[in-house]
Amino acid sequence: ADPTRVGISWITDAGDGSLNAKLYYREAGASDWVISPVNEVYTADIANNRGSVVSYSTNIAGLKPDTAYEYYVLTSDGTKEYSTETKSFTTLPGGEDFSFVVVSDLQSTTAEGYDPFLYTMESFVADALGGTDFVVNLGDLTEDGSSLPQWRYMFTTLGDYYATNLTAFVPG
């Protein structure tokens, strides 16, 4: 793992991929923001004619190991700008040692169904294990991957967790 690089991805459920999107980041507490341009935009149709989502991603390089960073995303449709809240993450430690946890099958059909995972990560993993450097998620985040409401439930409950904890998602 390279502690000087982080990839960040996000999705929107509106638009056709024509939004202008930029990710702004900085070392936590610094005054100047750096722009990381979006390097991939992908529109995917949801099964059974349930709409589409647009996925954006960017890769940030040149970061310092074991350092807190802040970031936010700014998108524009040409007339109006939309900004996310500022979130933060900490890069992996330098050297060869790091810790991670592997999880899978978080699937739920309600927002509350994700609470046990959130409680486990915030209580047991953080308190009993002393935290982890990152999470590997092996997939099955929703009961029905083509259900946009179920994705919204997952992001409603776990969005802040994923926005602030380094996570590698593996399709499952």
Side-chain angles (χ1 to χ4, degrees):
D2 183 350
T4 67
R5 302 175 62 87
V6 170
I8 297 178
S9 299
W10 65 96
I11 61 170
T12 63
D13 63 354
D16 58 3
S18 64
L19 291 175
N20 180 13
K22 296 177 185 172
L23 184 131
Y24 290 77
Y25 72 96
R26 67 182 178 190
E27 195 169 323
S31 58
D32 294 330
W33 292 93
V34 178
I35 298 174
S36 181
V38 171
N39 56 13
E40 184 175 339
V41 178
Y42 176 76
T43 301
D45 292 324
I46 301 172
N48 303 321
N49 295 320
R50 295 182 182 178
S52 63
V53 294
V54 181
S55 171
Y56 302 86
S57 65
T58 185
N59 295 305
I60 304 170
L63 304 175
K64 297 176 187 174
D66 202 22
T67 302
Y69 287 87
E70 300 171 319
Y71 71 97
Y72 71 95
V73 172
L74 182 69
T75 57
S76 171
D77 62 8
T79 51
K80 196 170 182 183
E81 289 187 337
Y82 308 91
S83 179
T84 64
E85 295 176 16
T86 299
K87 300 294 182 181
S88 63
F89 65 89
T90 300
T91 53
L92 293 174
E96 296 180 15
D97 294 336
F98 56 85
S99 65
F100 66 96
V101 128
V102 176
V103 299
S104 68
D105 295 326
L106 305 181
Q107 54 197 325
S108 177
T109 57
T110 65
E112 298 79 21
Y114 294 100
D115 286 340
F117 169 77
L118 192 58
Y119 175 79
T120 299
M121 297 308 287
E122 290 179 344
S123 295
F124 177 72
V125 172
D127 296 340
L129 298 181
T132 185
D133 293 316
F134 67 96
V135 175
V136 176
N137 190 313
L138 298 180
D140 289 341
L141 296 170
T142 65
E143 181 70 26
D144 177 359
S146 67
S147 172
L148 197 52
Q150 288 182 19
W151 284 104
R152 285 190 181 114
Y153 299 148
M154 192 271 300
F155 282 115
T156 295
T157 306
L158 303 179
D160 281 342
Y161 177 82
Y162 287 135
T164 57
N165 290 275
L166 297 178
T167 303
F169 292 96
V170 180

